[in-house]
Amino acid sequence: MNGITDPAAYEAWYHTPRGRWIGDREFALLGDLLNPVAGASLLDVGCGTGHFSRRFAGLGLAVSGIDPDPQALAYAAGEGGNITYLRGDGRALPFADNQFDYSSAVTSLCFVDDPVAALREMWRVTRHAVVLGLLNRHSLLYWEKQGRGAYRGARWDSAKAIREEWMPRLAPSPVAVSMGSAIFLPRGGRFARIAETWLPRQIPWGGLLAVCLRR
């Protein structure tokens, strides 16, 4: 997993008008797909600065975050939120089978050289459901941002790859899968924000591809 060069700057982006809008839309989609039960436990894999860890905690979940980057983890711990953070590799999670009710990975698998290995580990330690936020190969965001800035070195995935290449390698097989996408017009202007509220999440061309796998 790639480290975050400047955790404070990374987090500050989510407090800009565009960053706040994108973060809100992405989390709304992830939360709707996961639909977690308050009080349940969740492991956030590749948690980075803890931005989405704190959002999941805001839903009433008992959240743990894991990331290989000590600088990002130090920042996350300083933000509070009653979240347990530890350093580790998502491809070799230091947890028992079925230890968490849910697990999440929000764009972190896009920077893992073997995302299926990480997904299999998440699947192993999760009792109920795994939710993923991935960069969508079939999106306007891909054409605007691939290989640039914070997206340099990122892998862009597709719903077809998830279904045909990732899911068959999970045991036991998921009993249900749901997908959606968000951020169709990534520049985030007034028209983009209005359009986003009208476009159904089932349209597979948003910059964020969200996937929920249930056991």
Side-chain angles (χ1 to χ4, degrees), residues 32-109:
D32 285 348
L33 290 183
L34 185 61
N35 191 24
V37 176
S41 58
L42 178 139
L43 175 67
D44 190 18
V45 177
C47 62
T49 62
H51 180 83
F52 286 99
S53 303
R54 293 188 293 276
R55 285 181 176 248
F56 280 117
L59 297 181
L61 300 175
V63 178
S64 298
I66 187 168
D67 197 280
D69 184 347
Q71 188 177 5
L73 288 174
Y75 182 93
E79 290 294 288
N82 195 30
I83 298 166
T84 301
Y85 292 107
L86 74 157
R87 187 178 181 185
D89 190 331
R91 295 163 295 187
L93 294 173
F95 304 111
D97 294 357
N98 304 314
Q99 184 167 338
F100 298 91
D101 293 306
Y102 309 109
S103 62
S104 63
V106 185
T107 70
S108 55
L109 295 193

